[in-house]
C-alpha cells in the first residue's frame, strides 16, 4: 500500500505529465448504460478539474470500437465482466494492447 503523502505526489506527477499531451484520448466501454454514463461524467469532471484536455469516447458494445480508435487510445476504462457473444473485457484489453503497448488500461 502506498502512503497517502506518496499517493498525492504520484497523482500530481501523473496530472502534470498528462497535461503535456495536447489531447488525451480516452475510451470507456461498459455494457451497463447507467454505469457507462456515470464513468463518462466522472472522467470528464476529473480531467477538466485537472486542466487535462481529453476526447472521451464511450461505447456500450465492444464491437463498435474500431481499430483506428484503439490505435489512438491513451487510456481505456473497460468493464472486466463485459460479456457478449464476441468479447469480454480481457479480450478488449488484448485488442488494445496489440495496437498500443503504452496505453493505460483500467478495469
Amino acid at each position: 500500500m502506498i502512503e497517502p503523502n506518496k499517493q498525492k505526489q504520484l497523482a500530481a506527477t501523473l496530472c502534470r505529465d498528462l497535461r503535456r499531451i495536447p489531447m488525451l484520448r480516452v475510451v470507456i466501454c461498459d455494457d451497463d448504460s447507467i454505469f457507462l454514463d456515470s464513468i463518462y461524467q466522472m472522467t470528464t469532471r476529473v480531467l477538466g478539474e485537472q486542466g487535462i484536455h481529453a476526447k472521451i469516447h464511450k461505447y456500450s458494445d465492444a464491437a463498435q470500437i474500431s481499430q483506428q480508435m484503439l490505435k489512438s487510445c491513451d487510456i481505456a476504462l473497460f468493464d472486466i465482466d463485459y460479456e457478449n457473444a464476441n468479447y469480454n473485457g480481457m479480450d478488449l484489453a488484448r485488442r488494445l494492447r496489440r495496437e498500443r503497448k503504452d496505453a493505460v488500461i483500467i478495469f
Side-chain angles (χ1 to χ4, degrees):
M1 178 152 223
I2 301 173
E3 298 173 20
N5 287 340
K6 188 69 170 172
Q7 286 178 353
K8 289 179 183 178
Q9 183 181 13
L10 289 171
T13 300
L14 177 62
C15 288
R16 184 187 67 233
D17 291 346
L18 290 176
R19 283 188 208 100
R20 293 180 184 158
I21 299 172
M23 181 63 67
L24 187 68
R25 305 263 181 212
V26 180
V27 172
I28 303 170
C29 185
D30 197 305
D31 55 348
D32 181 328
S33 62
I34 293 171
F35 198 63
L36 178 65
D37 288 339
S38 176
I39 294 171
Y40 175 85
Q41 291 171 7
M42 183 175 21
T43 303
T44 301
R45 180 181 51 79
V46 169
L47 293 176
E49 288 171 355
Q50 296 301 318
I52 298 169
H53 300 285
K55 179 71 175 165
I56 304 171
H57 304 271
K58 62 180 185 172
Y59 298 91
S60 60
D61 182 354
Q64 295 175 339
I65 304 174
S66 70
Q67 182 178 0
Q68 185 60 35
M69 179 59 63
L70 293 175
K71 284 182 179 181
S72 68
C73 177
D74 298 302
I75 298 176
L77 295 102
F78 295 149
D79 178 8
I80 190 98
D81 65 356
Y82 174 92
E83 294 213 22
N84 73 15
N86 299 314
Y87 293 105
N88 65 37
M90 293 303 292
D91 293 330
L92 193 51
R94 282 189 280 278
R95 269 184 67 203
L96 173 57
R97 190 56 72 218
R98 282 193 297 270
E99 299 299 331
R100 285 288 303 264
K101 300 226 184 286
D102 61 341
V104 175
I105 302 171
I106 301 168
F107 292 103

